[in-house]
Amino acid sequence: MDSSQFESVKTKTASLPDRVADQIAQLIIDQHLTSEDKLPNEFELASQLNVGRGTVREAVKLLVARNVLVIRRGKGTYIANNPGEMEDPLGFAFVPDQIQLAFDLMEVRLQVEPWVAKLAAQRRTSEELERVQAYRVLVEQEIEAGRDHLPLDMEFHLSIAKCTHNQAVPKLMPLILHSVSLFGSLTRRSLRSYTIKEHRLIAEAIADGDGARSETVMREHIEHNQQKLEAIRRQMEVSQEEKPK
Amino acid sequence: MDSSQFESVKTKTASLPDRVADQIAQLIIDQHLTSEDKLPNEFELASQLNVGRGTVREAVKLLVARNVLVIRRGKGTYIANNPGEMEDPLGFAFVPDQIQLAFDLMEVRLQVEPWVAKLAAQRRTSEELERVQAYRVLVEQEIEAGRDHLPLDMEFHLSIAKCTHNQAVPKLMPLILHSVSLFGSLTRRSLRSYTIKEHRLIAEAIADGDGARSETVMREHIEHNQQKLEAIRRQMEVSQEEKPK
């Protein structure tokens, strides 16, 4: 299970720097290196892996591109915070119909997030609950100050995902929350009125450890967002028709 | 929505090749280039983006590392098949407890895949159904020949995901199917006996357009897999205890 597990994620017919990149990644996994840890220097890696320093340098560049390593200016090369976790890892930006994608993601959220809220209510620790409440308050402050609350809104939903004690859920959640950022600038204003109220209901149900109620209020929250998206799509279609060709 | 949407997936404090890589990615998005399309050559890109050829070359390397571009030997640089879709995009290989991760992913599958099967039954076209059946047959052939059926088993599940007509589902599915490959080598043999039977039931329910039944048989299939994982974990714990420290 240990040394071969990385083989499966390796690209086929890989170049030498590619293969060395995989070896370095394997070394990070095997030695349980974390974001506190500095990568051994080029000389060491080159002699350890029996390749030239140029190859090591190329491999390091590849691992930076894959967010396994980060270069801290003037300090050296370190292990990334969430190694291997990419921004937009599924290439959502390349999907031609971004509006349909937002709807498709919302459909997934409607299936997944009420269940996540239920698990959160059942499994959360008091520290985790405190974090949910803290983000809820921060979102309210942003809304009341008239600022963009969406980045913190995502953190609120993510803090609920972390209450599930399922390691896969908080990793998957940013992907399905992508719909939020897609429609963010369009919906921001009109979402404000009910976001505060609904977030409070969700946090309350999780605090009470009430799985069924958490599920219900989360479902209603997402359905509400979905309806908002529908309204926006209709508006966009109308303004599209009015536009001269 | 169009030209700024890629901004959000850009790494902050990016280097010049990084920024040029993002510009090339944006060009691919804006011009709807697909895997049939060759990337304009270095000279063209350099002059179009007003940077040196060396920078373009570095940017192309980054985009290859991100699976946006692929180099076809002797042919040139092309757009990747699923641009931006990485292998192991969430860095699952870096999660320290791989066994717990497999269980966590199985818990997600149990929530998501029965719903996916239901949508598949409701929305599939006859061509999509044919592909599901074709993969079902291929899996059976692999099992009967005593070969590793898991790669095709994943394709079977993926072909069902494509029946949902939800663009996000087939993109998310390989992530949650990761659990299959994790425990693959351990479970392969004992899974064979019931995989054929259960796959047939699933394909049948989808063919009949019976959403509720598709949901049920898919749930039973995954629960069965989950129980198998439990048994393997217990075995591993026992053999762990027997091992001298």
Side-chain angles (χ1 to χ4, degrees), chain A residues 84 89 95 104 107 123 166-167, chain B residues 84 89 95 104 107 123 166-167:
Chain A
V95 171
D104 290 349
E107 187 176 54
R123 300 180 182 173
N166 178 315
Q167 301 171 86
Chain B
V95 170
D104 290 348
E107 187 175 56
R123 300 178 183 174
N166 177 314
Q167 300 171 89

Side-chain angles (χ1 to χ4, degrees), chain B residues 132-215:
Chain B
V132 171
Q133 297 286 20
Y135 279 118
R136 179 185 61 72
V137 170
L138 286 170
V139 171
E140 293 186 9
Q141 288 172 351
E142 294 295 286
I143 291 177
E144 276 155 13
R147 288 190 295 265
D148 177 12
H149 69 282
L150 286 171
L152 284 163
D153 197 308
M154 280 216 215
E155 292 298 333
F156 172 73
H157 285 268
L158 206 56
S159 70
I160 294 171
K162 285 180 183 157
C163 295
T164 64
H165 297 202
N166 177 314
Q167 300 171 89
V169 168
K171 283 185 173 285
L172 290 162
M173 194 56 77
L175 299 177
I176 66 173
L177 288 176
H178 185 73
S179 56
V180 176
S181 66
L182 274 177
F183 265 78
S185 53
L186 295 163
T187 53
R188 199 181 307 156
R189 209 150 271 287
S190 50
L191 283 175
R192 283 181 186 157
S193 52
Y194 60 84
T195 295
I196 292 181
K197 192 181 132 242
E198 291 179 357
H199 278 192
R200 284 185 187 177
L201 291 174
I202 293 166
E204 243 173 58
I206 292 173
D208 293 346
D210 188 333
R213 180 149 52 87
S214 300
E215 202 170 358

Side-chain angles (χ1 to χ4, degrees), chain B residues 4 11 49 55 60 72 93 105 111 124 168 194-195 219 245:
Chain B
S4 63
T11 46
L49 301 171
T55 306
V60 166
R72 297 198 190 153
L105 284 166
Q111 175 62 18
R124 69 178 184 64
Y194 60 84
T195 295
R219 180 170 298 117
K245 256 271 155 163

Side-chain angles (χ1 to χ4, degrees), chain A residues 1 5-6 8-13 15 18 25-26 28-29 32 58 61-62 64-66 68 73 82-101 103-105 107-108 111-112 115 118-119 123 164-169 171-172 175-176 178 181-183 186 215 236, chain B residues 1 5-6 8-13 15 18 25-26 28-29 32 58 61-62 64-66 68 73 82-101 103-105 107-108 111-112 115 118-119 123 164-169 171-172 175-176 178 181-183 186 215 236:
Chain A
M1 182 115 219
Q5 98 208 357
F6 202 76
S8 59
V9 296
K10 189 160 82 176
T11 45
K12 43 255 155 231
T13 67
S15 69
D18 252 316
Q26 193 58 54
I28 294 166
I29 294 168
H32 299 286
E58 284 298 307
K61 275 187 200 167
L62 288 173
V64 170
R66 289 175 198 154
V68 173
R73 223 158 282 241
N82 292 301
E85 219 173 307
M86 305 285 294
E87 295 190 69
D88 192 26
L90 299 180
F92 281 150
F94 293 92
V95 171
D97 189 344
Q98 291 284 313
I99 294 169
Q100 187 54 47
L101 178 63
F103 276 91
D104 290 349
L105 285 166
E107 187 176 54
V108 175
Q111 175 62 18
V112 172
W115 167 74
K118 184 184 73 181
L119 293 187
R123 300 180 182 173
T164 63
H165 298 201
N166 178 315
Q167 301 171 86
V169 168
K171 283 187 175 283
L172 290 162
L175 299 178
I176 65 173
H178 185 73
S181 66
L182 274 178
F183 266 79
L186 293 164
E215 203 170 357
M236 285 174 82
Chain B
M1 184 116 215
Q5 98 207 359
F6 202 76
S8 59
V9 297
K10 190 161 80 175
T11 46
K12 41 254 157 235
T13 68
S15 69
D18 252 319
Q26 193 57 55
I28 294 166
I29 294 168
H32 300 287
E58 284 298 307
K61 276 188 201 166
L62 289 173
V64 169
R66 288 174 199 154
V68 173
R73 224 160 280 240
N82 292 301
E85 221 173 305
M86 305 285 294
E87 294 189 69
D88 192 27
L90 299 178
F92 282 148
F94 294 92
V95 170
D97 190 345
Q98 291 283 312
I99 294 169
Q100 188 53 48
L101 177 63
F103 276 92
D104 290 348
L105 284 166
E107 187 175 56
V108 176
Q111 175 62 18
V112 173
W115 167 74
K118 183 184 76 181
L119 293 187
R123 300 178 183 174
T164 64
H165 297 202
N166 177 314
Q167 300 171 89
V169 168
K171 283 185 173 285
L172 290 162
L175 299 177
I176 66 173
H178 185 73
S181 66
L182 274 177
F183 265 78
L186 295 163
E215 202 170 358
M236 287 174 80

